[in-house]
Short mmCIF file of all heavy atoms in Angstrom, two decimals:
data_model
loop_
_atom_site.label_atom_id
_atom_site.label_comp_id
_atom_site.label_asym_id
_atom_site.label_seq_id
_atom_site.Cartn_x
_atom_site.Cartn_y
_atom_site.Cartn_z
N SER A 150 -77.06 0.98 -20.79
CA SER A 150 -75.79 1.10 -20.01
C SER A 150 -75.65 -0.17 -19.13
O SER A 150 -76.53 -0.46 -18.36
CB SER A 150 -75.88 2.37 -19.16
OG SER A 150 -75.97 3.52 -19.97
N ALA A 151 -74.50 -0.83 -19.39
CA ALA A 151 -74.20 -1.94 -18.50
C ALA A 151 -73.49 -1.32 -17.19
O ALA A 151 -72.62 -0.52 -17.21
CB ALA A 151 -73.25 -2.93 -19.23
N ALA A 152 -73.80 -2.00 -16.03
CA ALA A 152 -73.26 -1.59 -14.80
C ALA A 152 -71.77 -1.82 -14.85
O ALA A 152 -70.94 -1.01 -14.37
CB ALA A 152 -73.90 -2.31 -13.65
N ALA A 153 -71.37 -2.97 -15.41
CA ALA A 153 -69.87 -3.28 -15.56
C ALA A 153 -69.42 -2.67 -16.91
O ALA A 153 -69.57 -3.34 -17.94
CB ALA A 153 -69.73 -4.75 -15.45
N ALA A 154 -68.89 -1.47 -16.80
CA ALA A 154 -68.50 -0.77 -18.06
C ALA A 154 -67.43 -1.64 -18.79
O ALA A 154 -67.35 -1.51 -20.05
CB ALA A 154 -67.92 0.59 -17.69
N GLU A 155 -66.52 -2.36 -18.14
CA GLU A 155 -65.59 -3.11 -18.85
C GLU A 155 -66.15 -4.23 -19.60
O GLU A 155 -65.60 -4.66 -20.67
CB GLU A 155 -64.59 -3.73 -17.84
CG GLU A 155 -63.78 -2.62 -17.08
CD GLU A 155 -64.54 -1.94 -15.99
OE1 GLU A 155 -65.64 -2.44 -15.67
OE2 GLU A 155 -63.96 -1.02 -15.37
N ALA A 156 -67.32 -4.74 -19.15
CA ALA A 156 -67.93 -5.82 -19.92
C ALA A 156 -68.86 -5.36 -21.03
O ALA A 156 -68.98 -6.04 -22.03
CB ALA A 156 -68.75 -6.71 -18.94
N ARG A 157 -69.55 -4.26 -20.81
CA ARG A 157 -70.35 -3.68 -21.90
C ARG A 157 -71.63 -4.40 -22.18
O ARG A 157 -72.55 -3.91 -22.84
CB ARG A 157 -69.66 -3.49 -23.24
CG ARG A 157 -68.31 -2.73 -23.06
CD ARG A 157 -67.77 -2.54 -24.48
NE ARG A 157 -66.39 -2.02 -24.30
CZ ARG A 157 -65.75 -1.41 -25.25
NH1 ARG A 157 -66.31 -1.30 -26.43
NH2 ARG A 157 -64.52 -0.95 -25.03
N VAL A 158 -71.82 -5.61 -21.58
CA VAL A 158 -73.04 -6.29 -21.79
C VAL A 158 -73.51 -6.78 -20.42
O VAL A 158 -72.78 -6.89 -19.48
CB VAL A 158 -72.79 -7.54 -22.71
CG1 VAL A 158 -72.62 -7.14 -24.16
CG2 VAL A 158 -71.67 -8.40 -22.18
N GLY A 159 -74.84 -7.01 -20.35
CA GLY A 159 -75.39 -7.40 -18.98
C GLY A 159 -76.64 -8.18 -19.23
O GLY A 159 -76.87 -8.84 -20.27
N GLY A 160 -77.53 -8.23 -18.21
CA GLY A 160 -78.70 -9.07 -18.25
C GLY A 160 -79.89 -8.37 -18.84
O GLY A 160 -80.93 -8.93 -18.92
N ASP A 161 -79.83 -7.07 -19.02
CA ASP A 161 -81.00 -6.38 -19.64
C ASP A 161 -81.05 -6.68 -21.19
O ASP A 161 -80.04 -6.77 -21.79
CB ASP A 161 -80.85 -4.84 -19.31
CG ASP A 161 -81.20 -4.49 -18.00
OD1 ASP A 161 -81.36 -5.44 -17.16
OD2 ASP A 161 -81.21 -3.33 -17.65
N LEU A 162 -82.26 -6.66 -21.63
CA LEU A 162 -82.38 -7.03 -23.11
C LEU A 162 -83.48 -6.13 -23.72
O LEU A 162 -84.36 -5.66 -23.09
CB LEU A 162 -82.70 -8.52 -23.23
CG LEU A 162 -83.98 -8.99 -22.62
CD1 LEU A 162 -85.09 -9.07 -23.51
CD2 LEU A 162 -83.73 -10.45 -22.04
N TYR A 163 -83.30 -5.98 -25.03
CA TYR A 163 -84.31 -5.27 -25.85
C TYR A 163 -84.14 -5.70 -27.33
O TYR A 163 -83.09 -6.16 -27.75
CB TYR A 163 -84.18 -3.76 -25.70
CG TYR A 163 -82.86 -3.29 -26.23
CD1 TYR A 163 -82.70 -2.97 -27.62
CD2 TYR A 163 -81.78 -2.99 -25.48
CE1 TYR A 163 -81.54 -2.50 -28.13
CE2 TYR A 163 -80.57 -2.52 -25.91
CZ TYR A 163 -80.44 -2.23 -27.20
OH TYR A 163 -79.28 -1.78 -27.71
N ALA A 164 -85.26 -5.69 -28.04
CA ALA A 164 -85.23 -5.98 -29.47
C ALA A 164 -86.46 -5.36 -30.09
O ALA A 164 -87.49 -5.24 -29.41
CB ALA A 164 -85.17 -7.49 -29.75
N LEU A 165 -86.38 -5.01 -31.34
CA LEU A 165 -87.49 -4.53 -32.05
C LEU A 165 -87.54 -5.12 -33.44
O LEU A 165 -86.51 -5.06 -34.13
CB LEU A 165 -87.44 -2.91 -32.09
CG LEU A 165 -88.67 -2.17 -32.58
CD1 LEU A 165 -88.74 -0.86 -31.78
CD2 LEU A 165 -88.62 -1.91 -34.03
N VAL A 166 -88.74 -5.66 -33.89
CA VAL A 166 -88.76 -6.38 -35.10
C VAL A 166 -89.99 -5.78 -35.99
O VAL A 166 -90.99 -5.56 -35.41
CB VAL A 166 -89.03 -7.92 -34.94
CG1 VAL A 166 -89.23 -8.55 -36.16
CG2 VAL A 166 -87.83 -8.44 -34.14
N SER A 167 -89.71 -5.55 -37.25
CA SER A 167 -90.77 -5.22 -38.14
C SER A 167 -91.23 -6.51 -38.77
O SER A 167 -90.54 -7.04 -39.71
CB SER A 167 -90.35 -4.20 -39.20
OG SER A 167 -91.27 -3.80 -40.04
N SER A 168 -92.53 -6.97 -38.37
CA SER A 168 -92.92 -8.21 -38.84
C SER A 168 -94.12 -8.13 -39.78
O SER A 168 -94.64 -7.01 -39.85
CB SER A 168 -93.31 -9.06 -37.64
OG SER A 168 -94.58 -8.62 -37.13
N PRO A 169 -94.63 -9.20 -40.35
CA PRO A 169 -95.83 -9.08 -41.17
C PRO A 169 -97.09 -8.72 -40.42
O PRO A 169 -98.11 -8.29 -40.97
CB PRO A 169 -95.98 -10.50 -41.77
CG PRO A 169 -94.65 -11.09 -41.69
CD PRO A 169 -93.96 -10.53 -40.46
N TYR A 170 -97.01 -8.82 -39.11
CA TYR A 170 -98.11 -8.43 -38.21
C TYR A 170 -97.92 -7.11 -37.51
O TYR A 170 -98.57 -6.89 -36.45
CB TYR A 170 -98.30 -9.69 -37.17
CG TYR A 170 -98.29 -10.93 -37.82
CD1 TYR A 170 -97.12 -11.81 -37.73
CD2 TYR A 170 -99.25 -11.44 -38.61
CE1 TYR A 170 -97.08 -13.02 -38.37
CE2 TYR A 170 -99.25 -12.64 -39.22
CZ TYR A 170 -98.09 -13.52 -39.13
OH TYR A 170 -98.01 -14.66 -39.72
N GLY A 171 -96.98 -6.32 -38.07
CA GLY A 171 -96.76 -5.02 -37.42
C GLY A 171 -95.45 -4.95 -36.62
O GLY A 171 -94.69 -5.99 -36.55
N VAL A 172 -95.10 -3.82 -36.11
CA VAL A 172 -93.89 -3.70 -35.36
C VAL A 172 -94.07 -4.40 -33.96
O VAL A 172 -95.07 -4.11 -33.34
CB VAL A 172 -93.56 -2.22 -35.12
CG1 VAL A 172 -92.36 -2.06 -34.21
CG2 VAL A 172 -93.30 -1.50 -36.45
N ARG A 173 -93.08 -5.15 -33.55
CA ARG A 173 -93.13 -5.76 -32.33
C ARG A 173 -91.77 -5.61 -31.55
O ARG A 173 -90.73 -5.49 -32.19
CB ARG A 173 -93.31 -7.36 -32.50
CG ARG A 173 -94.82 -7.64 -32.92
CD ARG A 173 -95.08 -9.06 -33.20
NE ARG A 173 -96.46 -9.39 -33.33
CZ ARG A 173 -96.98 -10.57 -33.62
NH1 ARG A 173 -96.12 -11.59 -33.88
NH2 ARG A 173 -98.23 -10.81 -33.72
N LEU A 174 -91.86 -5.56 -30.23
CA LEU A 174 -90.69 -5.24 -29.45
C LEU A 174 -90.78 -5.99 -28.13
O LEU A 174 -91.88 -6.31 -27.68
CB LEU A 174 -90.52 -3.76 -29.25
CG LEU A 174 -91.54 -2.95 -28.60
CD1 LEU A 174 -91.34 -2.80 -27.08
CD2 LEU A 174 -91.90 -1.66 -29.31
N ILE A 175 -89.63 -6.06 -27.47
CA ILE A 175 -89.49 -6.69 -26.16
C ILE A 175 -88.43 -5.86 -25.38
O ILE A 175 -87.37 -5.46 -25.97
CB ILE A 175 -89.13 -8.15 -26.23
CG1 ILE A 175 -89.04 -8.76 -24.84
CG2 ILE A 175 -87.78 -8.34 -26.91
CD1 ILE A 175 -88.89 -10.20 -24.88
N VAL A 176 -88.73 -5.68 -24.13
CA VAL A 176 -87.77 -5.07 -23.20
C VAL A 176 -87.83 -5.95 -21.96
O VAL A 176 -88.98 -6.23 -21.43
CB VAL A 176 -88.06 -3.62 -22.85
CG1 VAL A 176 -87.14 -3.19 -21.67
CG2 VAL A 176 -87.87 -2.67 -24.08
N GLY A 177 -86.66 -6.44 -21.44
CA GLY A 177 -86.72 -7.32 -20.38
C GLY A 177 -85.46 -7.19 -19.49
O GLY A 177 -84.53 -6.60 -19.74
N ASP A 178 -85.52 -8.03 -18.33
CA ASP A 178 -84.49 -8.06 -17.44
C ASP A 178 -84.28 -9.48 -16.86
O ASP A 178 -85.22 -10.03 -16.38
CB ASP A 178 -84.81 -7.06 -16.26
CG ASP A 178 -83.67 -6.93 -15.29
OD1 ASP A 178 -82.57 -7.55 -15.50
OD2 ASP A 178 -83.74 -6.07 -14.42
N VAL A 179 -83.05 -10.01 -17.07
CA VAL A 179 -82.75 -11.35 -16.63
C VAL A 179 -82.37 -11.37 -15.11
O VAL A 179 -81.58 -10.48 -14.70
CB VAL A 179 -81.69 -11.99 -17.51
CG1 VAL A 179 -81.39 -13.40 -17.02
CG2 VAL A 179 -82.07 -12.03 -18.93
N ARG A 180 -82.94 -12.30 -14.42
CA ARG A 180 -82.45 -12.41 -13.05
C ARG A 180 -80.94 -12.77 -13.03
O ARG A 180 -80.43 -13.67 -13.69
CB ARG A 180 -83.26 -13.53 -12.27
CG ARG A 180 -82.78 -13.75 -10.89
CD ARG A 180 -83.59 -14.95 -10.19
NE ARG A 180 -83.02 -15.24 -8.93
CZ ARG A 180 -81.91 -16.00 -8.62
NH1 ARG A 180 -81.28 -16.50 -9.55
NH2 ARG A 180 -81.58 -16.22 -7.37
N GLY A 181 -80.19 -12.04 -12.08
CA GLY A 181 -78.77 -12.42 -11.99
C GLY A 181 -77.98 -11.49 -12.88
O GLY A 181 -78.43 -10.58 -13.56
N LYS A 182 -76.64 -11.77 -12.78
CA LYS A 182 -75.72 -10.93 -13.58
C LYS A 182 -74.66 -11.85 -14.15
O LYS A 182 -74.64 -13.08 -13.94
CB LYS A 182 -75.05 -9.89 -12.65
CG LYS A 182 -75.93 -8.89 -12.05
CD LYS A 182 -75.23 -7.95 -11.17
CE LYS A 182 -76.17 -6.96 -10.49
NZ LYS A 182 -77.01 -6.17 -11.50
N GLY A 183 -73.75 -11.31 -14.89
CA GLY A 183 -72.62 -12.03 -15.51
C GLY A 183 -72.90 -12.80 -16.68
O GLY A 183 -74.08 -12.65 -17.34
N LEU A 184 -72.11 -13.83 -17.07
CA LEU A 184 -72.33 -14.63 -18.24
C LEU A 184 -73.58 -15.38 -18.25
O LEU A 184 -74.24 -15.55 -19.33
CB LEU A 184 -71.07 -15.53 -18.40
CG LEU A 184 -69.70 -14.78 -18.75
CD1 LEU A 184 -68.59 -15.83 -18.91
CD2 LEU A 184 -69.86 -14.06 -20.11
N PRO A 185 -74.04 -15.98 -17.07
CA PRO A 185 -75.27 -16.69 -17.18
C PRO A 185 -76.52 -15.77 -17.61
O PRO A 185 -77.36 -16.20 -18.40
CB PRO A 185 -75.50 -17.20 -15.75
CG PRO A 185 -74.07 -17.29 -15.21
CD PRO A 185 -73.34 -16.19 -15.79
N ALA A 186 -76.44 -14.54 -17.08
CA ALA A 186 -77.53 -13.56 -17.46
C ALA A 186 -77.46 -13.21 -18.94
O ALA A 186 -78.52 -13.21 -19.64
CB ALA A 186 -77.49 -12.33 -16.60
N VAL A 187 -76.20 -13.04 -19.39
CA VAL A 187 -76.00 -12.77 -20.88
C VAL A 187 -76.50 -13.96 -21.68
O VAL A 187 -77.15 -13.76 -22.74
CB VAL A 187 -74.57 -12.39 -21.20
CG1 VAL A 187 -74.34 -12.29 -22.66
CG2 VAL A 187 -74.15 -11.14 -20.43
N SER A 188 -76.17 -15.19 -21.31
CA SER A 188 -76.59 -16.38 -22.05
C SER A 188 -78.13 -16.42 -22.15
O SER A 188 -78.79 -16.79 -23.18
CB SER A 188 -76.11 -17.64 -21.42
OG SER A 188 -76.49 -18.74 -22.04
N THR A 189 -78.78 -16.12 -21.00
CA THR A 189 -80.29 -16.21 -20.94
C THR A 189 -80.81 -15.09 -21.86
O THR A 189 -81.84 -15.33 -22.55
CB THR A 189 -80.77 -16.07 -19.51
OG1 THR A 189 -80.23 -17.13 -18.72
CG2 THR A 189 -82.37 -16.08 -19.46
N ALA A 190 -80.23 -13.89 -21.78
CA ALA A 190 -80.71 -12.79 -22.60
C ALA A 190 -80.59 -13.17 -24.09
O ALA A 190 -81.57 -12.84 -24.90
CB ALA A 190 -79.98 -11.52 -22.26
N ALA A 191 -79.55 -13.82 -24.50
CA ALA A 191 -79.35 -14.25 -25.89
C ALA A 191 -80.47 -15.28 -26.25
O ALA A 191 -80.97 -15.17 -27.35
CB ALA A 191 -77.94 -14.82 -26.09
N LEU A 192 -80.79 -16.14 -25.35
CA LEU A 192 -81.78 -17.11 -25.64
C LEU A 192 -83.11 -16.48 -25.90
O LEU A 192 -83.84 -16.75 -26.89
CB LEU A 192 -81.91 -18.14 -24.50
CG LEU A 192 -83.03 -19.20 -24.58
CD1 LEU A 192 -82.89 -20.03 -25.76
CD2 LEU A 192 -83.10 -19.99 -23.26
N VAL A 193 -83.54 -15.56 -24.96
CA VAL A 193 -84.76 -14.86 -25.08
C VAL A 193 -84.84 -14.07 -26.37
O VAL A 193 -85.85 -14.14 -27.11
CB VAL A 193 -85.07 -13.89 -23.86
CG1 VAL A 193 -86.31 -13.05 -24.04
CG2 VAL A 193 -85.17 -14.75 -22.57
N LEU A 194 -83.85 -13.32 -26.66
CA LEU A 194 -83.87 -12.49 -27.89
C LEU A 194 -83.87 -13.35 -29.16
O LEU A 194 -84.59 -12.99 -30.19
CB LEU A 194 -82.58 -11.62 -27.95
CG LEU A 194 -82.62 -10.52 -26.90
CD1 LEU A 194 -81.35 -9.70 -26.96
CD2 LEU A 194 -83.83 -9.53 -27.04
N GLY A 195 -83.18 -14.50 -29.18
CA GLY A 195 -83.28 -15.40 -30.33
C GLY A 195 -84.68 -15.86 -30.61
O GLY A 195 -85.17 -15.93 -31.74
N VAL A 196 -85.27 -16.44 -29.52
CA VAL A 196 -86.67 -16.86 -29.67
C VAL A 196 -87.59 -15.81 -30.08
O VAL A 196 -88.46 -15.98 -30.96
CB VAL A 196 -87.05 -17.57 -28.40
CG1 VAL A 196 -88.54 -18.05 -28.45
CG2 VAL A 196 -86.15 -18.77 -28.01
N PHE A 197 -87.50 -14.61 -29.46
CA PHE A 197 -88.42 -13.51 -29.78
C PHE A 197 -88.27 -13.12 -31.22
O PHE A 197 -89.33 -12.93 -31.88
CB PHE A 197 -88.12 -12.36 -28.87
CG PHE A 197 -88.88 -11.07 -29.32
CD1 PHE A 197 -90.17 -10.89 -29.03
CD2 PHE A 197 -88.14 -10.03 -29.98
CE1 PHE A 197 -90.76 -9.73 -29.45
CE2 PHE A 197 -88.80 -8.91 -30.43
CZ PHE A 197 -90.12 -8.80 -30.14
N ARG A 198 -87.09 -12.96 -31.76
CA ARG A 198 -86.91 -12.47 -33.14
C ARG A 198 -87.53 -13.46 -34.09
O ARG A 198 -88.04 -13.07 -35.07
CB ARG A 198 -85.39 -12.24 -33.45
CG ARG A 198 -84.83 -11.06 -32.68
CD ARG A 198 -83.35 -10.90 -32.98
NE ARG A 198 -82.81 -9.68 -32.20
CZ ARG A 198 -81.82 -9.67 -31.50
NH1 ARG A 198 -81.11 -10.78 -31.27
NH2 ARG A 198 -81.38 -8.51 -30.92
N GLU A 199 -87.40 -14.74 -33.81
CA GLU A 199 -88.05 -15.75 -34.69
C GLU A 199 -89.58 -15.80 -34.59
O GLU A 199 -90.26 -15.73 -35.58
CB GLU A 199 -87.45 -17.12 -34.39
CG GLU A 199 -88.02 -18.21 -35.30
CD GLU A 199 -87.39 -19.62 -35.05
OE1 GLU A 199 -86.44 -19.68 -34.11
OE2 GLU A 199 -87.89 -20.53 -35.58
N ALA A 200 -90.01 -15.84 -33.30
CA ALA A 200 -91.42 -15.92 -33.05
C ALA A 200 -92.19 -14.68 -33.46
O ALA A 200 -93.36 -14.74 -33.91
CB ALA A 200 -91.72 -16.29 -31.59
N ALA A 201 -91.61 -13.44 -33.31
CA ALA A 201 -92.31 -12.26 -33.59
C ALA A 201 -92.62 -12.17 -35.13
O ALA A 201 -93.54 -11.58 -35.52
CB ALA A 201 -91.44 -11.08 -33.24
N TYR A 202 -91.81 -12.84 -35.89
CA TYR A 202 -91.99 -12.83 -37.30
C TYR A 202 -92.89 -13.89 -37.78
O TYR A 202 -93.61 -13.79 -38.81
CB TYR A 202 -90.65 -12.97 -38.10
CG TYR A 202 -90.67 -12.54 -39.45
CD1 TYR A 202 -90.44 -11.19 -39.89
CD2 TYR A 202 -90.93 -13.40 -40.57
CE1 TYR A 202 -90.51 -10.79 -41.16
CE2 TYR A 202 -91.02 -13.07 -41.81
CZ TYR A 202 -90.73 -11.69 -42.15
OH TYR A 202 -90.83 -11.21 -43.46
N ASP A 203 -93.03 -15.03 -36.99
CA ASP A 203 -93.89 -16.12 -37.40
C ASP A 203 -95.26 -16.17 -36.91
O ASP A 203 -96.19 -16.64 -37.54
CB ASP A 203 -93.15 -17.43 -37.06
CG ASP A 203 -91.86 -17.68 -37.81
OD1 ASP A 203 -91.73 -17.05 -38.82
OD2 ASP A 203 -90.93 -18.42 -37.31
N GLU A 204 -95.42 -15.68 -35.62
CA GLU A 204 -96.62 -15.89 -34.92
C GLU A 204 -97.63 -14.72 -35.16
O GLU A 204 -97.25 -13.56 -34.79
CB GLU A 204 -96.44 -16.05 -33.39
CG GLU A 204 -95.53 -17.29 -33.03
CD GLU A 204 -96.28 -18.57 -33.35
OE1 GLU A 204 -97.47 -18.62 -33.60
OE2 GLU A 204 -95.57 -19.59 -33.28
N PRO A 205 -98.94 -14.96 -35.65
CA PRO A 205 -99.80 -13.87 -35.75
C PRO A 205 -100.20 -13.29 -34.45
O PRO A 205 -100.51 -12.07 -34.30
CB PRO A 205 -101.00 -14.55 -36.50
CG PRO A 205 -100.42 -15.73 -37.13
CD PRO A 205 -99.34 -16.32 -36.16
N ASP A 206 -100.38 -14.12 -33.35
CA ASP A 206 -100.83 -13.68 -32.05
C ASP A 206 -99.72 -13.33 -31.15
O ASP A 206 -98.81 -14.14 -31.01
CB ASP A 206 -101.74 -14.76 -31.52
CG ASP A 206 -102.56 -14.23 -30.28
OD1 ASP A 206 -101.97 -13.42 -29.54
OD2 ASP A 206 -103.65 -14.79 -30.15
N LEU A 207 -99.76 -12.24 -30.52
CA LEU A 207 -98.68 -11.78 -29.63
C LEU A 207 -98.51 -12.74 -28.44
O LEU A 207 -97.44 -12.96 -27.96
CB LEU A 207 -98.88 -10.34 -29.21
CG LEU A 207 -97.69 -9.64 -28.52
CD1 LEU A 207 -96.58 -9.42 -29.50
CD2 LEU A 207 -98.11 -8.29 -27.98
#
Side-chain angles (χ1 to χ4, degrees):
S150 298
E155 294 79 5
R157 308 189 187 193
V158 289
D161 287 3
L162 58 95
Y163 63 83
L165 192 144
V166 175
S167 182
S168 75
Y170 314 104
V172 174
R173 288 175 166 177
L174 59 98
I175 183 173
V176 172
D178 188 356
V179 179
R180 176 187 178 274
K182 299 182 183 298
L184 290 179
V187 175
S188 177
T189 302
L192 173 64
V193 172
L194 291 175
V196 176
F197 168 78
R198 288 175 179 132
E199 181 180 355
Y202 200 85
D203 293 341
E204 301 290 350
D206 193 325
L207 194 65

